[in-house]
Amino acid sequence: MKAHGLLLLALCTVAAAAQSVSIRPEVLTRELEHPWAIAFIGNDRMLVTERPGRMRVVQADGKLEPPLAGVPKVEVGGQGGLLDLITDRDFAHNRAIYFCYVEPGSSSGTSTIALATAHLPEDAKRLEQVKVLFSAKPQVKGNLNLGCRVVDNGDGTLFLSVGDRFTHMDDAQKLDSDLGKIIRIHKDGSIPPDNPFVNRKSARPEIWSYGHRNPQGMTLGPDGKLWIDEHGPQGGDEINRPEAGKNYGWPVITYGENYGGGKIGEGITAKEGMEQPLHYWTPSIAPSGMAFLLNDKYGKAWKGSLFVGSLKFRYLDRIELRGNKVVKEEKLLQDRKQRIRDVRVGRDGLIYVLTDEEKGELIRLRPE
């Protein structure tokens, strides 16, 4: 029996060792000011947004190019500024990009979340043909809980996350407001006729799902469906898979509480007609960018993992899933002690990370 136990322990140790992956963080640049998003534009070049309102090209060797011309006016302050950025799925042919930012409002002190498109010429020195595709309604004051992630859905539509703006959390349950919603529009800004609320009176037709607080990570999963992470209040950060027309509960249900303590609303975590999160974190990790790794560049152990940045605890979270259930989390890059803002998988199949600091880093993770 003792020998059998030792053999079992040895086998478990070997299995655990087989799951471990050694990585080497390669810092390409540490001269980005609060970078927010990264996109890959060919020839090993990367386009990065900086929250103060700049887009910059980072060359393969880490050289940082001057800011691009043609970026529209951005409202900068608090959490706001120039935020998410993606390339079109057919970027190699149409050179189209999409970006999200805080747009100045029409009255003093107000702003909104805007989604724009532009053409990026080969020299990548300026934006051309800039067009605002969507501006969230209503315009409000404040620079918190903005959301502002963008995903190319692959069917000619774009998803956009819009936060509840903190002081308007009740709007997340109102269908005549874009706040606290996932938005779905065509790439020309028009409304898809199969959106869930197109024919509902007093509902905004661009809404895909509602009851969200502050979705700061968004990607398509291996199943081709939309995945998001969103900030809860004090506790209760969530991973969700938003489906058409469904209500994700905020602020009626939450696994968090008010800052400083005290229940939110009735202090309930479930209610009929409202969706439960796929996963939640208590205490909050302040999740940010998210991406799935679908290749085996880091070996079989990491293939299929979901990666989520933590702003609060300053690590990259590797999440193993079994179906839609989280079965394991592994904390990476903790020794860098930097806020992880974005994570993307490059065209080379490697993982790239941005840190949200005054001297923000762009890091490539090399498998060893």
Side-chain angles (χ1 to χ4, degrees):
M1 181 65 70
K2 184 176 179 180
H4 176 75
L6 290 173
L7 176 59
L8 180 60
L9 177 61
L11 289 173
C12 289
T13 302
V14 171
Q19 292 297 305
S20 65
V21 173
S22 179
I23 55 170
R24 174 172 56 87
E26 178 185 10
V27 179
L28 298 179
T29 180
R30 50 174 53 92
E31 297 298 325
L32 295 161
E33 184 179 1
H34 293 289
W36 221 88
I38 176 175
F40 304 93
I41 57 173
N43 299 322
D44 297 321
R45 295 185 300 170
M46 292 148 280
L47 187 62
V48 175
T49 56
E50 294 175 296
R51 198 172 70 225
R54 297 182 293 270
M55 283 189 199
R56 311 186 70 162
V57 170
V58 182
Q59 300 288 356
D61 60 1
K63 179 184 177 183
L64 197 60
E65 297 292 341
L68 274 66
V71 175
K73 184 177 181 180
V74 173
E75 187 76 16
V76 179
Q79 298 174 1
L82 181 58
L83 304 179
D84 205 13
L85 166 73
I86 64 169
T87 56
D88 189 89
R89 283 176 176 248
D90 198 28
F91 176 80
H93 297 98
N94 62 22
R95 306 289 299 179
I97 67 169
Y98 307 96
F99 56 98
C100 180
Y101 63 100
V102 181
E103 180 183 53
S106 56
S107 57
S108 177
T110 65
S111 63
T112 192
I113 302 303
L115 172 60
T117 185
H119 179 266
L120 183 70
E122 285 286 348
D123 63 10
K125 294 183 181 299
R126 64 201 173 280
L127 298 184
E128 298 175 343
Q129 303 169 34
V130 177
K131 177 186 176 184
V132 176
L133 300 175
F134 173 80
S135 294
K137 304 292 190 299
Q139 299 175 355
V140 300
K141 294 184 178 181
N143 50 29
L144 302 174
N145 292 10
L146 303 169
C148 218
R149 284 290 181 187
V150 187
V151 163
D152 185 338
N153 193 31
D155 63 353
T157 67
L158 301 168
F159 285 118
L160 168 71
S161 70
V162 179
D164 69 358
R165 303 296 298 272
F166 191 73
T167 55
H168 289 71
M169 66 180 187
D170 290 337
D171 274 25
Q173 289 294 316
K174 299 175 182 177
L175 293 178
D176 61 353
S177 168
D178 290 317
L179 305 186
K181 310 297 191 302
I182 301 299
I183 302 301
R184 179 176 177 253
I185 60 173
H186 282 304
K187 291 180 179 180
D188 63 0
S190 62
I191 305 298
D194 59 345
N195 271 6
F197 301 110
V198 165
N199 297 314
R200 183 178 297 191
K201 187 178 180 181
S202 300
R204 300 200 63 83
E206 60 269 15
I207 294 173
W208 176 257
S209 62
Y210 64 109
H212 302 286
R213 185 173 184 267
N214 185 17
Q216 289 205 19
M218 190 158 65
T219 190
L220 295 183
D223 55 2
K225 303 297 184 182
L226 185 66
W227 292 60
I228 68 170
D229 63 53
E230 50 185 303
H231 290 211
Q234 187 170 275
D237 296 346
E238 298 180 353
I239 296 176
N240 285 302
R241 297 176 66 232
E243 296 182 28
K246 290 190 176 181
N247 182 354
Y248 290 81
W250 175 257
V252 179
I253 61 173
T254 177
Y255 286 89
E257 61 182 10
N258 278 311
Y259 295 105
K263 65 183 182 181
I264 293 172
E266 298 178 18
I268 59 176
T269 58
K271 188 172 183 178
E272 186 177 355
M274 296 182 179
E275 303 300 314
Q276 285 291 300
L278 180 149
H279 180 71
Y280 66 91
W281 291 275
T282 298
S284 294
I285 70 167
S288 57
M290 68 189 312
F292 278 95
L293 179 70
L294 302 180
N295 63 61
D296 58 3
K297 287 278 188 176
Y298 301 86
K300 293 181 180 180
W302 279 21
K303 188 174 182 179
S305 295
L306 175 63
F307 291 82
V308 173
S310 168
L311 295 164
K312 181 178 179 180
F313 293 121
R314 301 169 185 259
Y315 63 78
L316 180 63
D317 194 11
R318 185 182 72 86
I319 300 171
E320 290 185 16
L321 297 152
R322 185 174 296 126
N324 290 330
K325 183 179 180 181
V326 173
V327 295
K328 180 182 178 181
E329 294 181 73
E330 179 184 7
K331 299 178 177 64
L332 308 170
L333 302 180
Q334 286 181 291
D335 58 333
R336 306 201 74 80
K337 298 180 180 180
Q338 297 189 57
R339 288 159 51 89
I340 304 297
R341 172 57 70 183
D342 200 17
V343 53
R344 306 277 172 108
V345 177
R347 295 182 179 184
D348 56 6
L350 299 180
I351 298 168
Y352 291 74
V353 172
L354 286 176
T355 68
D356 187 356
E357 306 287 342
E358 284 190 22
K359 292 287 188 179
E361 296 182 346
L362 170 57
I363 305 167
R364 177 165 51 211
L365 302 187
R366 291 280 191 188
E368 289 191 326

